[in-house]
Amino acid sequence: MAESTADSPRPAGPAALIQGFIKLPPSRQALALVALAACIASIVGIVLWARMPDYSLLYGSLEERDAAQVVAALEKAAIPYRLDAATGAIRVPSTVVHEARMKLAAEGLPKGSGNGLEMLSQEPGFGVSRFMENARYQHAVEGELVRTISAMAGVEAARVHLAVPERSVFVRANDQPSASVMLQLYRGRTLDDGQVAAIVHLVSSSVPGLNPARVTVVDQAGNLLTRPAGQRGLERSAEQYDYARRLEQDYVRRIEDLLAAVVGPGGVRAKVSAEVDFEVTERTREQYDPDRTALRSSQEEETESAAGSNAGAGGVPGTLSNQPPQGGTLAPAAPAVTPPAAQAAAPAAAPGAPAASTEQPVTAAPAPMDRSRRAVRNFEIDRTISHSKLAGGGVKRLTVAVVVDDKRVTDADGKTSSQPRTPEEIERYTALVRDAVGFDPDRGDSINVVNAAFAPTQPEPPVHGTPLWEQSWVWQAVRLLLGAAALAAVLFGVLRPLLRSVHRAGLAVTAQVGPPTAEALPAPAAAPQRLAAPAAAPALPDLHEQDPQRVMQVMRTWMAADA
């Protein structure tokens, strides 16, 4: 029984490992210790790496002062973080991003550059000149404009420079202010003309007296985004082009909305080409109507006087004109002669009446009268003045092209087929298009409606959600699996073979040891009563199970004797 036990030793425990390690040469012992330490360090590193949280961006591109304040607040709140020294970005675990932002916001962080209007709330100090106050206010306005422009989509950062001259007491000597804007766009982003114009008008509206034409906008590559002064006409051309395209799109929408209700959605395609007149005409007209007059004012004056009453002395005024003529004589007055008409007009004497005396008294003729009448009348002729300004944008000519799809017919078996439209239907569609676009043959409009079979449309690919590999929990699970796989590889690929080799070496040492003699076995220091005096010495495996400490002492004695 003892021989069979000695031939097939049982698996040893820690003692066999210790014996195997002691039996190894010193070089292999050192290598085993290094391998064991590396395995333990790998296990600890893999466990920590698997438990490492996923970090997300908290704030990016912070200034040094703001980054220092944010880091101090995170350390105070015991929140782990990572700081990128190159970009200034701060990352925190994904699970505490919102919590960290709320705590920082409660403390007013990050404060930013502080170049806005909050600069005015700071203490200006004693003895600050008016020039410094104006410069400080201008710098604050520039900071506010930078904040506003940076909030636009596609703009990462911006800088604004205002050139506002001093006001002069002389009106003609006042210079116009100007502004320059430098934009830092995100990678792959561009700004269209509308966004550039919005920035220009935003800056010009923020500075009193700033003309939009004196605002310059450039990007980080040095490209001039605003048009120079010599290309202002191109802006108007671009506006006219946009107006014409919007007008054409409006006509297309009218046609498709109208015919889609008849032929079905997606069964009509329309294109419109509009020739627009952008000429601006101003006209002033003045008309007179001679048939329509109106009395505006009237003035009449009448004078009446006797002859000679107003006759004054004639001649040259002076004493000579007042003297009688020289050698003048006085002639007797001639008798008065009755005119024949007066004699005939006298009535005949009645019979028996005494005859009337034929001698009539001579009467003097009435003196002539001087009369004058003067009238002034002012008449107003009907007058009409009209001033008209005809704005541009009128349609000069329309060219409309419409394509209508074939008719879809379903038979009794449920099979769908297409049939061409009849000429009567095409005529009706043409009439509808004419009414929709306001067809005018006098200006040369053209409308063409054609029936054709549309090509089958390709089905749109289904819209999928976020791919599985882009979700955060998947990467966390993959990290845990990789950590477990690496840990298993270290345990079963490195540590286990190392322990197994040491264990085998210990078993080999135990198997080579023969039964010890009685003299070689020293008396035990304790518990002698457990060892009886057998007739023969027990086998070493049985002794190892009974008293392993004694066996270890024997092994040490043997090794010391061999050395």
Side-chain angles (χ1 to χ4, degrees), residues 9 80 85 94 138 261 276 293 304 310 348 438 449 498:
S94 303
Q138 180 175 336
V276 184
T293 59
E304 184 177 348
N310 294 331
V449 180
L498 179 62

Side-chain angles (χ1 to χ4, degrees), residues 240-516:
Q240 294 175 358
Y241 178 81
D242 294 339
Y243 173 78
R245 297 292 80 80
R246 291 196 301 268
L247 184 63
E248 293 173 355
Q249 292 175 4
D250 182 67
Y251 281 125
V252 170
R253 181 182 54 81
R254 292 183 190 179
I255 296 172
E256 292 183 352
D257 291 348
L258 184 61
L259 295 183
V262 181
V263 301
V268 59
R269 296 290 186 275
K271 294 295 180 182
V272 178
S273 177
E275 184 178 353
V276 184
D277 184 12
F278 293 102
E279 183 179 357
V280 179
T281 305
E282 294 187 8
R283 183 183 303 170
T284 302
R285 178 180 299 177
E286 186 175 355
Q287 296 179 346
Y288 295 92
D289 189 359
D291 297 334
R292 299 181 59 183
T293 59
L295 181 62
R296 182 178 181 182
S297 63
S298 177
Q299 181 180 2
E300 295 184 1
E301 181 179 356
E302 185 175 355
T303 304
E304 184 177 348
S305 62
S309 60
N310 294 331
V316 181
T319 56
L320 295 177
S321 60
N322 295 329
Q323 295 179 359
Q326 298 293 330
T329 57
L330 294 176
V337 179
T338 302
Q343 295 178 0
S357 175
T358 59
E359 295 181 359
Q360 297 293 334
V362 179
T363 59
M369 303 292 292
D370 292 336
R371 295 181 180 179
S372 62
R373 184 177 182 182
R374 181 182 178 185
V376 179
R377 292 183 176 87
N378 296 324
F379 293 89
E380 191 71 28
I381 302 176
D382 184 38
R383 178 187 180 190
T384 303
I385 300 176
S386 61
H387 179 80
S388 59
K389 182 177 181 180
L390 303 179
V395 179
K396 297 175 61 177
R397 188 172 182 271
L398 286 178
T399 302
V400 183
V402 182
V403 180
V404 182
D405 192 10
D406 289 343
K407 185 187 303 183
R408 303 296 176 181
V409 180
T410 304
D411 54 9
D413 298 336
K415 181 182 289 186
T416 304
S417 60
S418 60
Q419 295 180 359
R421 305 282 178 176
T422 61
E424 292 77 8
E425 292 178 340
I426 299 299
E427 288 294 334
R428 293 201 307 268
Y429 300 156
T430 304
L432 291 176
V433 173
R434 288 176 180 174
D435 295 339
V437 300
F439 178 77
D440 188 1
D442 296 336
R443 64 186 182 189
D445 294 350
S446 174
I447 296 178
N448 188 13
V449 180
V450 180
N451 174 225
F454 286 3
T457 58
Q458 298 294 335
E460 297 182 359
V463 179
H464 300 285
T466 305
L468 185 63
W469 57 85
E470 293 184 1
Q471 299 182 7
S472 60
W473 66 270
V474 174
W475 290 105
Q476 189 70 16
V478 170
R479 177 182 296 177
L480 294 177
L481 292 177
L482 291 178
L487 181 61
V490 171
L491 291 176
F492 296 99
V494 178
L495 188 60
R496 184 178 178 182
L498 179 62
L499 295 178
R500 184 178 296 177
S501 63
V502 175
H503 184 265
R504 288 178 181 177
L507 292 179
V509 172
T510 306
Q512 292 177 1
V513 176

